[in-house]
Amino acid sequence: MRGPSLRLARWHNHANAVGAPSALRHWLTDTGSLTVKLSARSATFRLQRLHQYPATCLADEAAAVGLARPGRVQEREVLLRCDNTPVVFGHSVVPVSATAADWPLFGALGERPLGTTVLFSDPLVARSDLQFARLQPSHPLAQRARRAWAGATQAELSEQAVLFARRRLYRRRHGLLLVTEVFFPSVLALAQAGHLIKNDE
C-alpha cells in the first residue's frame, strides 16, 4: 500500500496545512490571474505548451472532475517561463463528457494562457476555492514537472527539492475543468526581483 499511496497527493483547503515557506504563500494563495502576476515580475513572459491530447486523468483527480474512477480527459500541460526560466508547471484536464459549447476555446488555445483567455474573462465561468498540496517525489505531477524542468533547462531538479502545488475547479455550463499549478523553487527568486522592480519605480 505504501507505493500507491505516495502517488496520491493530500489536497488541503488551507495553505497552512502544506507547510509552504512564507515566501511562497502569496503565490499559492493569490486568487487573481497567475499569468498577469508573473508578467508583472519579469521582462519577458512566455507560456510554452508541452502537449494537449486525450489521456487518463490522475488517480487523485477523478473525483474532483466528477468521475467514479480515473477516466478519459483532454489533458493540457504547459511551462510558464519568466525571462526564459521555468517557474510554474501547469496541468489542466477536461473530462471528455464536456462539449465544445462548455469549453469552446480549450481545444484551440495553442500557447495562449488559459487564465487570461478563458478563466478570468468569461462571465459564465464559476470558480471553486483553491486547494493546496505538498507533492511527494513519486507523485506523477512532481515527476512530470521535473522532466519538464530538465528539458527546458538542460539541468536536473533534485528530488530533494520540495514541490508545492495548488489546484482549482472551474465550471462552465455543464463542463468541468481542473487546473493544477506546480511551483518551481525558481519562483522565489522571481518574487524577490519583482519587489526590487517595484521599489525602483
Side-chain angles (χ1 to χ4, degrees), residues 79-199:
L79 276 180
L80 305 184
R81 304 171 74 134
C82 289
D83 302 321
N84 207 39
T85 299
V87 292
V88 177
F89 172 78
H91 169 86
S92 304
V93 296
V94 176
V96 294
S97 58
T99 67
D102 294 328
W103 296 104
L105 297 178
F106 186 78
L109 283 169
E111 295 203 335
R112 291 179 296 168
L114 181 60
T116 54
T117 304
V118 179
L119 302 181
F120 290 92
S121 60
D122 189 336
L124 294 180
V125 175
R127 298 184 287 271
S128 73
D129 292 334
L130 287 165
Q131 292 185 312
F132 310 93
R134 182 185 185 115
L135 299 183
Q136 297 286 346
S138 56
H139 190 275
L141 285 187
Q143 295 176 346
R144 294 185 195 184
R146 286 187 169 86
R147 286 197 297 270
W149 172 274
T153 64
Q154 307 304 309
E156 295 294 325
L157 185 65
S158 169
E159 288 194 0
Q160 303 305 313
V162 177
L163 297 181
F164 294 92
R166 69 178 190 179
R167 73 181 186 182
R168 171 175 267 171
L169 186 67
Y170 298 85
R171 180 187 295 272
R172 188 181 187 278
R173 299 188 187 276
H174 301 292
L176 297 175
L177 165 63
L178 184 66
V179 177
T180 304
E181 293 150 341
V182 182
F183 292 82
F184 292 116
S186 54
V187 81
L188 298 180
L190 179 68
Q192 294 170 3
H195 291 314
L196 292 175
I197 292 171
K198 185 176 181 181
N199 290 338

Side-chain angles (χ1 to χ4, degrees), residues 10-53:
R10 295 183 60 187
W11 291 95
H12 302 272
N13 294 325
H14 200 288
N16 285 347
V18 300
S22 58
L24 187 61
R25 284 183 54 84
H26 71 96
W27 290 104
L28 288 172
T29 59
D30 194 310
T31 57
S33 168
L34 181 60
T35 297
V36 170
K37 187 169 184 174
L38 291 172
S39 297
R41 287 164 171 76
S42 57
T44 304
F45 170 81
R46 178 195 169 198
L47 182 146
Q48 176 189 353
R49 188 179 75 163
L50 302 175
H51 69 250
Q52 184 166 338
Y53 48 50

